[in-house]
Amino acid sequence: MLYLAADGGGTKLVTLLFDDRLRLISSGKSGGTNSIFRSPDDVRADMQAAVDACIGTTRPTIENVRCVIVGPVDEFVGCVRRRAVLKQVTPLSEGMLSLAAGAGVQYGVLALAGTGSDVFMIQPDCSDTIGGWGTVLGDEGGGYDLGVSALRAAIYADDGRGEYTELLPLIKDEWRLHALW
């Protein structure tokens, strides 16, 4: 029996095909699935590319697709259906998957910070999410926010509005810049 797992967010989509003994058969990787950051056509094309790399053209039967997709889940499922026969699809939230993977529990409270950030509360009779509003409106503590904060600190140090920070030479060195501007 074969199973497919997929994790798609702001920066990438990873797909894993494995058997009932949890042996990895193949994998695929592509660009992000969040259509807030990318055009729907690009998201769809990358979804298909990751599925094609993972499944190929053999048209296997997949018992269950478990996926966490920030973006159009139905598009992802359609990409898989073009390459395989699906018996079951189980979409999961980021919070549900992370609690199970990180703590081995089904219920609890979890804070996630990746490209963006969210806090999840998942209980048997209710669930709630705080955050996840995106780069402009509020993903405090996520990768984008940290990157902008680092660049802002370097800029402020460079133009005299802020205190000196070691981020300034690190950024200049990394990007091979003589001057930040």
Side-chain angles (χ1 to χ4, degrees), residues 23-54:
R23 292 179 296 200
L24 181 65
I25 307 298
S26 59
S27 64
K29 186 175 179 182
S30 68
T33 61
N34 191 333
S35 54
I36 291 173
F37 300 118
R38 307 180 65 225
S39 78
D41 289 341
D42 288 345
V43 168
R44 190 177 311 106
D46 276 349
M47 285 180 170
Q48 194 65 62
V51 168
D52 290 352
C54 189

Side-chain angles (χ1 to χ4, degrees), residues 79-119:
C79 291
V80 177
R81 286 191 194 283
R82 284 190 274 284
R83 294 286 181 248
V85 175
L86 299 184
K87 288 189 174 180
Q88 184 177 356
V89 176
T90 307
L92 302 168
S93 73
E94 286 183 291
M96 293 166 66
L97 179 69
S98 298
L99 281 172
V105 297
Q106 194 172 5
Y107 306 112
V109 177
L110 170 79
L112 280 180
T115 303
S117 65
D118 310 82
V119 176

Side-chain angles (χ1 to χ4, degrees), residues 66-166:
R66 289 190 173 235
C67 56
V68 176
I69 304 289
V70 177
V73 176
D74 56 331
E75 289 284 347
F76 176 75
V77 172
C79 291
V80 177
R81 286 191 194 283
R82 284 190 274 284
R83 294 286 181 248
V85 175
L86 299 184
K87 288 189 174 180
Q88 184 177 356
V89 176
T90 307
L92 302 168
S93 73
E94 286 183 291
M96 293 166 66
L97 179 69
S98 298
L99 281 172
V105 297
Q106 194 172 5
Y107 306 112
V109 177
L110 170 79
L112 280 180
T115 303
S117 65
D118 310 82
V119 176
F120 300 91
M121 185 222 27
I122 300 169
Q123 297 299 315
D125 55 351
C126 68
S127 63
D128 201 1
T129 304
I130 298 171
W133 288 98
T135 55
V136 174
L137 299 176
D139 270 336
E140 300 84 2
Y144 181 87
D145 181 56
L146 295 174
V148 168
S149 295
L151 290 172
R152 188 171 285 131
I155 290 167
Y156 287 9
D158 191 59
D159 69 14
R161 289 183 283 163
E163 295 180 26
Y164 176 80
T165 173
E166 283 297 319

